[in-house]
Amino acid sequence: MSCASHSSDPSPELNRRAALALAAGLGGSALVACSGSDEAIDPGPAGESVGSVSDFEDGAFVARTSTGLQIVVLDVDGEVRAFTAVCPHANCTVRLKEGMLDCPCHGSLFSTDDGSVQRGPAREGLEPVAVTLDGDSIVLSSSAS
């Protein structure tokens, strides 16, 4: 039974069965879209300020660089670290939660040491972004430490 038999609307809405069939047909495309990229990230020029130590709330903050890259900046036991802030699984912005980077969409967890996946469904980790302290400013640096 389809939606069309119950509606005079010439463009019936997509029902659950049709949506599942469409999703199955597009499965390969969806997997490609959700998989990570081999392209190197470009956070922006070295020396670009992404925030200051006063921006930390509970040990982390999210910033956007001049290239549009969203990063999460962490204060881990006095050491400043940064990673890409968007979960490679579902494109949700991660947050610091109980000492891990947590994706609120599907519960993936990432290490604050190196961005690696600690719990899926994400299969790829967060990319490290090189930052350093310059006085009270947190700036992009030229290479990962």
Side-chain angles (χ1 to χ4, degrees):
M1 188 185 309
S2 73
C3 291
S5 64
H6 297 293
S7 173
S8 60
D9 184 354
S11 59
E13 67 182 73
L14 190 64
N15 66 22
R16 186 169 188 264
R17 181 174 290 152
L20 289 173
L22 179 62
L26 294 175
S29 300
L31 286 175
V32 170
C34 289
S35 67
S37 170
D38 288 337
E39 294 179 25
I41 60 168
D42 178 14
E48 176 185 330
S49 176
V50 294
S52 73
V53 294
S54 64
D55 293 327
F56 284 113
E57 287 186 28
D58 297 321
F61 68 89
V62 174
R64 187 173 302 274
T65 69
S66 63
T67 62
L69 182 68
Q70 211 176 9
I71 63 172
V72 59
V73 183
L74 309 169
D75 177 356
V76 181
D77 299 323
E79 181 184 339
V80 177
R81 299 180 191 159
F83 299 95
T84 52
V86 177
C87 176
H89 170 253
N91 295 324
C92 297
T93 303
V94 298
R95 61 187 177 200
L96 185 62
K97 184 178 177 185
E98 298 176 7
M100 302 285 280
L101 291 169
D102 170 66
C103 177
C105 292
H106 297 115
S108 292
L109 292 176
F110 304 91
S111 168
T112 57
D113 290 330
D114 59 8
S116 62
V117 176
Q118 301 300 298
R119 181 178 77 199
R123 294 182 180 192
E124 296 183 31
L126 304 173
E127 293 291 324
V129 176
V131 293
T132 190
L133 272 175
D134 182 10
D136 285 344
S137 293
I138 299 161
V139 297
L140 297 175
S141 59
S142 58
S143 63
S145 49

